Amino acid sequence: MFIFIFLAAFAAVALAGWIIYALTHPVLAGQGILIFLCKAAGVIALLSALGFWIGQGFAQAIPGFLFMAGFFFAANKLELRWRSW
């Protein structure tokens, strides 16, 4: 139960920080949120793939790992495209 409280507090602090940043740097914040969403989706895909791997087997986890790789690849491409990030 403690981990959920920690994750909720982390998300709240991150969101508050992003809101402050968005008010001062609106264009960069839009780029940053897109990169952040790609990385967050990659982490969620990784966790679900690990759950499938532990629960059912590696063959069922392969699509999750592919989604994870795709999201991280997209985030890296966006970071290379926007040098100021």
Side-chain angles (χ1 to χ4, degrees), residues 7-67:
L7 290 175
F10 179 77
V13 169
L15 182 61
W18 181 80
I19 289 171
I20 292 169
Y21 184 73
L23 292 173
T24 58
H25 303 87
V27 174
L28 292 176
Q31 296 169 352
I33 196 66
L34 187 58
I35 294 168
F36 172 76
L37 289 175
C38 284
K39 287 183 178 184
V43 169
I44 291 170
L46 171 66
L47 293 175
S48 65
L50 288 175
F52 275 118
W53 189 5
I54 292 169
Q56 296 180 359
F58 184 71
Q60 285 79 17
I62 291 174
F65 286 126
L66 291 176
F67 275 110

